[in-house]
Short mmCIF file of all heavy atoms in Angstrom, two decimals:
data_model
loop_
_atom_site.label_atom_id
_atom_site.label_comp_id
_atom_site.label_asym_id
_atom_site.label_seq_id
_atom_site.Cartn_x
_atom_site.Cartn_y
_atom_site.Cartn_z
N ASP A 76 14.48 -12.22 11.88
CA ASP A 76 13.41 -13.15 12.27
C ASP A 76 12.65 -12.62 13.48
O ASP A 76 11.44 -12.86 13.62
CB ASP A 76 13.99 -14.53 12.57
CG ASP A 76 14.56 -15.19 11.32
OD1 ASP A 76 14.28 -14.69 10.20
OD2 ASP A 76 15.29 -16.19 11.45
N ALA A 77 13.36 -11.90 14.35
CA ALA A 77 12.69 -11.33 15.54
C ALA A 77 11.61 -10.33 15.11
O ALA A 77 10.54 -10.26 15.74
CB ALA A 77 13.71 -10.66 16.45
N HIS A 78 11.87 -9.58 14.04
CA HIS A 78 10.85 -8.65 13.54
C HIS A 78 9.61 -9.41 13.09
O HIS A 78 8.47 -8.99 13.32
CB HIS A 78 11.39 -7.83 12.36
CG HIS A 78 12.39 -6.79 12.75
ND1 HIS A 78 13.73 -7.03 12.81
CD2 HIS A 78 12.23 -5.49 13.10
CE1 HIS A 78 14.36 -5.93 13.19
NE2 HIS A 78 13.48 -4.98 13.37
N ALA A 79 9.83 -10.55 12.42
CA ALA A 79 8.70 -11.36 11.94
C ALA A 79 7.93 -11.93 13.12
O ALA A 79 6.69 -11.94 13.11
CB ALA A 79 9.21 -12.47 11.03
N ASP A 80 8.65 -12.36 14.14
CA ASP A 80 7.98 -13.01 15.29
C ASP A 80 6.97 -12.09 15.96
O ASP A 80 5.87 -12.53 16.32
CB ASP A 80 9.02 -13.47 16.32
CG ASP A 80 9.76 -14.72 15.86
OD1 ASP A 80 9.27 -15.37 14.89
OD2 ASP A 80 10.81 -15.03 16.43
N VAL A 81 7.32 -10.80 16.11
CA VAL A 81 6.38 -9.91 16.83
C VAL A 81 5.15 -9.59 15.99
O VAL A 81 4.16 -9.07 16.52
CB VAL A 81 7.05 -8.60 17.33
CG1 VAL A 81 8.06 -8.87 18.42
CG2 VAL A 81 7.65 -7.80 16.20
N LEU A 82 5.20 -9.90 14.70
CA LEU A 82 4.03 -9.64 13.84
C LEU A 82 3.03 -10.81 13.88
O LEU A 82 1.88 -10.66 13.46
CB LEU A 82 4.49 -9.38 12.40
CG LEU A 82 5.27 -8.07 12.22
CD1 LEU A 82 6.03 -8.08 10.88
CD2 LEU A 82 4.33 -6.86 12.27
N LYS A 83 3.47 -11.96 14.40
CA LYS A 83 2.62 -13.16 14.34
C LYS A 83 1.27 -13.02 15.05
O LYS A 83 0.25 -13.43 14.50
CB LYS A 83 3.39 -14.38 14.87
CG LYS A 83 4.44 -14.88 13.88
CD LYS A 83 5.22 -16.06 14.43
CE LYS A 83 6.30 -16.45 13.42
NZ LYS A 83 7.25 -17.43 13.94
N PRO A 84 1.23 -12.44 16.27
CA PRO A 84 -0.10 -12.30 16.90
C PRO A 84 -1.04 -11.42 16.08
O PRO A 84 -2.26 -11.61 16.11
CB PRO A 84 0.22 -11.64 18.25
CG PRO A 84 1.68 -11.84 18.47
CD PRO A 84 2.31 -11.96 17.13
N ILE A 85 -0.48 -10.47 15.33
CA ILE A 85 -1.31 -9.56 14.52
C ILE A 85 -1.93 -10.33 13.36
O ILE A 85 -3.14 -10.27 13.12
CB ILE A 85 -0.48 -8.37 14.00
CG1 ILE A 85 0.11 -7.58 15.19
CG2 ILE A 85 -1.31 -7.49 13.08
CD1 ILE A 85 0.99 -6.40 14.79
N THR A 86 -1.11 -11.08 12.64
CA THR A 86 -1.66 -11.83 11.49
C THR A 86 -2.65 -12.89 11.97
O THR A 86 -3.68 -13.11 11.34
CB THR A 86 -0.54 -12.49 10.66
OG1 THR A 86 0.22 -13.35 11.51
CG2 THR A 86 0.38 -11.46 10.03
N ALA A 87 -2.34 -13.51 13.13
CA ALA A 87 -3.25 -14.55 13.64
C ALA A 87 -4.61 -13.95 13.97
O ALA A 87 -5.65 -14.53 13.66
CB ALA A 87 -2.63 -15.21 14.88
N PHE A 88 -4.61 -12.76 14.57
CA PHE A 88 -5.88 -12.14 14.94
C PHE A 88 -6.68 -11.76 13.69
O PHE A 88 -7.90 -11.99 13.62
CB PHE A 88 -5.66 -10.90 15.82
CG PHE A 88 -6.95 -10.29 16.28
CD1 PHE A 88 -7.57 -10.74 17.43
CD2 PHE A 88 -7.58 -9.30 15.52
CE1 PHE A 88 -8.79 -10.20 17.84
CE2 PHE A 88 -8.80 -8.76 15.91
CZ PHE A 88 -9.41 -9.21 17.08
N ILE A 89 -6.00 -11.20 12.71
CA ILE A 89 -6.71 -10.78 11.48
C ILE A 89 -7.36 -12.00 10.83
O ILE A 89 -8.53 -11.97 10.43
CB ILE A 89 -5.73 -10.06 10.51
CG1 ILE A 89 -5.25 -8.73 11.12
CG2 ILE A 89 -6.40 -9.81 9.15
CD1 ILE A 89 -4.14 -8.03 10.35
N GLU A 90 -6.62 -13.11 10.78
CA GLU A 90 -7.19 -14.33 10.18
C GLU A 90 -8.34 -14.87 11.00
O GLU A 90 -9.33 -15.36 10.47
CB GLU A 90 -6.09 -15.38 10.07
CG GLU A 90 -5.24 -15.16 8.83
CD GLU A 90 -4.80 -16.46 8.22
OE1 GLU A 90 -3.89 -17.08 8.79
OE2 GLU A 90 -5.38 -16.86 7.19
N ASP A 91 -8.19 -14.77 12.33
CA ASP A 91 -9.24 -15.27 13.22
C ASP A 91 -10.55 -14.52 12.98
O ASP A 91 -11.63 -15.07 13.19
CB ASP A 91 -8.76 -15.07 14.67
CG ASP A 91 -9.53 -15.95 15.62
OD1 ASP A 91 -9.76 -17.12 15.26
OD2 ASP A 91 -9.93 -15.46 16.69
N MET A 92 -10.46 -13.30 12.54
CA MET A 92 -11.65 -12.49 12.23
C MET A 92 -12.19 -12.79 10.83
O MET A 92 -13.13 -12.15 10.36
CB MET A 92 -11.32 -11.00 12.32
CG MET A 92 -11.12 -10.46 13.73
SD MET A 92 -12.68 -10.33 14.64
CE MET A 92 -12.62 -11.81 15.60
N GLY A 93 -11.54 -13.72 10.12
CA GLY A 93 -12.00 -14.08 8.77
C GLY A 93 -11.49 -13.14 7.69
O GLY A 93 -11.95 -13.15 6.55
N CYS A 94 -10.51 -12.28 8.05
CA CYS A 94 -9.95 -11.33 7.09
C CYS A 94 -8.57 -11.83 6.65
O CYS A 94 -8.03 -12.77 7.22
CB CYS A 94 -9.82 -9.95 7.72
SG CYS A 94 -11.35 -9.41 8.52
N VAL A 95 -8.01 -11.17 5.65
CA VAL A 95 -6.72 -11.61 5.11
C VAL A 95 -5.63 -10.60 5.51
O VAL A 95 -5.76 -9.40 5.23
CB VAL A 95 -6.79 -11.72 3.56
CG1 VAL A 95 -5.44 -12.13 2.99
CG2 VAL A 95 -7.88 -12.71 3.15
N PRO A 96 -4.57 -11.07 6.17
CA PRO A 96 -3.48 -10.15 6.53
C PRO A 96 -2.48 -9.98 5.38
O PRO A 96 -2.01 -10.97 4.81
CB PRO A 96 -2.81 -10.85 7.72
CG PRO A 96 -3.14 -12.30 7.59
CD PRO A 96 -4.36 -12.43 6.72
N GLY A 97 -2.16 -8.74 5.04
CA GLY A 97 -1.19 -8.46 3.99
C GLY A 97 -0.09 -7.56 4.53
O GLY A 97 -0.27 -6.88 5.55
N ILE A 98 1.04 -7.57 3.86
CA ILE A 98 2.15 -6.70 4.27
C ILE A 98 2.69 -5.99 3.04
O ILE A 98 2.75 -6.57 1.95
CB ILE A 98 3.27 -7.51 4.97
CG1 ILE A 98 4.37 -6.58 5.50
CG2 ILE A 98 3.88 -8.57 4.06
CD1 ILE A 98 5.36 -7.28 6.45
N GLN A 99 3.05 -4.73 3.22
CA GLN A 99 3.69 -4.00 2.12
C GLN A 99 5.20 -3.96 2.38
O GLN A 99 5.63 -3.39 3.39
CB GLN A 99 3.14 -2.56 2.04
CG GLN A 99 3.66 -1.82 0.82
CD GLN A 99 3.26 -0.36 0.79
OE1 GLN A 99 3.47 0.36 1.78
NE2 GLN A 99 2.73 0.11 -0.31
N LEU A 100 5.96 -4.57 1.50
CA LEU A 100 7.42 -4.56 1.66
C LEU A 100 7.98 -3.35 0.93
O LEU A 100 7.65 -3.10 -0.24
CB LEU A 100 8.02 -5.85 1.11
CG LEU A 100 7.64 -7.12 1.88
CD1 LEU A 100 8.34 -8.33 1.29
CD2 LEU A 100 7.97 -6.98 3.37
#
Side-chain angles (χ1 to χ4, degrees):
D76 293 347
H78 287 90
D80 285 346
V81 292
L82 292 164
K83 286 178 183 171
I85 300 178
T86 57
F88 183 87
I89 294 172
E90 278 215 284
D91 199 42
M92 287 287 99
C94 310
V95 178
I98 185 168
Q99 186 186 51
L100 294 182

